[in-house]
Each structure stands twice: as structure tokens, then as C-alpha cells.
Amino acid sequence: MEKTKVLFVCLGNICRSPTAEGALRQLVDEAGLAGRFEIDSAGTGSWHVGQAPDRHAQAACRRAGFDISGHRARQVRKDDFERFDLILACDAQNQRDLEHLAPASARGRIRLLRSFDPLAAGPRPEVPDPWGMGQDAFEETVAICKRACQGLLEALRAGQAV
Ligand code: 4NP
């Protein structure tokens, strides 16, 4: 069976999107579905390419039971738009940037990650940027990403996301 390919995107690929990638990996592992998914993350910006995730993000993920320390930041590439079934933006600016980069044929596959979060409020819910903030902000990022990824997995399993 074809794998479902999911790409998470934020600005730097050192805080939010690697956290979301790790959260979804943990969920699919627990569900015994790891073989059915290809999961990755990338940033719209290039400043942090090659770097490990922010140490606060690593710590918050470790506390939540998953390890993102091996991730290295990369920038979104043109071929991501051909390769992934779903491209999930952490905030509205990430979504706009992706829509500018994407060929018209891929725009429908770009969504806001928090559109899958059952507790998100408002029409365009975002994962707030924790970069430069204290550890609490990163713990909140993990909580949001876990909820959104749980909602995403349920939608995928119900055939309602792709
Ligand atoms: P992220 O956080 O997009 O969640 O990885 C940020 C990381 C770096 C910067 C901004 C946000 N920056 O401006 O370098």
C-alpha cells in the first residue's frame, strides 16, 4: 500500500515543525502504523539549515517521550510539493510562504496544522512561535502538536484528510 507522506513546515525548522514531526512519529509508532507513513519537516527560512533542534524543544519532546535530537534543519525544496500528500504549516505566514512557492497543482495539499487540533479556536489557528521564549512556551508547543497530530491521525484513518 502507498505510504501517506506528511511534511510539517515552520520558519526555522528547529522548534515547531521538528516537534510536530516527532509527535506524529510517536503516535504512528504507538498505533503500529509506522510503515504506512513517511514523515518529515522543513523550514521556509534557511538560517538554521544543518542545525539540531533548539535545546528547549529537545527537552520538551524528551519529557513527552520522544527524541528529536537527531533531526537536522533543512529548507523547503521545490520537489517537496510533488512528494508529499499533505504539507502542514505551523502558522499563517508559513502557509502564505508555501502557497507562493508551490505550483498551483500542490496548493490544495497545504493546510494549517492546527486545523486538525480539536481545541483550536478561530478560523486560522496557529502554533505560536516559541523561539527565544522560555521552556514553558516549548512545553505548550508540544501539547499543541500532540493534539493536532492526534486529530490528524484520526482524520487520516477516517479518510478525511488526504
Ligand atoms: P521555528 O522557530 O520556526 O518553530 O523553528 C523559529 C526558529 C528560528 C527563527 C524563527 C522561528 N529565526 O528567526 O531564526
Side-chain angles (χ1 to χ4, degrees):
M1 188 185 261
E2 270 282 299
K3 290 187 183 188
T4 301
K5 302 184 181 102
V6 180
L7 180 69
F8 296 99
V9 177
C10 62
L11 180 59
N13 194 216
I14 54 170
C15 303
R16 292 166 293 174
S17 62
T19 296
E21 177 188 343
L24 185 60
R25 281 188 197 285
Q26 184 188 43
L27 285 168
V28 303
D29 280 352
E30 286 169 359
L33 295 171
R36 299 270 300 276
F37 285 87
E38 188 174 318
I39 306 166
D40 197 2
S41 66
T44 57
S46 62
W47 309 282
H48 299 281
V49 167
Q51 292 180 11
D54 183 283
R55 64 189 172 86
H56 299 94
Q58 292 190 38
C61 291
R62 202 176 307 118
R63 255 194 291 283
F66 55 97
D67 179 7
I68 63 169
S69 64
H71 178 77
R72 293 297 175 266
R74 73 168 180 90
Q75 193 170 19
V76 172
R77 297 186 293 259
K78 278 273 173 208
D79 69 357
D80 288 328
F81 296 109
E82 314 305 326
R83 183 161 142 227
F84 289 95
D85 303 304
L86 263 183
I87 300 171
L88 297 171
C90 287
D91 66 33
Q93 185 62 53
N94 306 148
Q95 186 179 32
R96 280 191 292 274
D97 291 341
L98 286 166
E99 284 167 352
H100 283 297
L101 289 169
S105 59
R107 286 197 194 119
R109 284 181 264 127
I110 300 169
R111 317 261 193 93
L112 280 173
L113 170 57
R114 283 197 88 183
S115 63
F116 295 99
D117 176 0
L119 294 189
R124 289 169 73 77
E126 302 186 313
V127 185
D129 185 356
W131 192 61
M133 298 178 70
Q135 188 64 41
D136 284 358
F138 288 83
E139 305 292 337
E140 180 63 12
T141 301
V142 171
I144 292 169
C145 288
K146 284 186 68 166
R147 273 203 317 271
C149 287
Q150 183 77 56
L152 169 65
L153 189 55
E154 284 166 17
L156 286 167
R157 297 181 85 169
Q160 289 165 355
V162 176

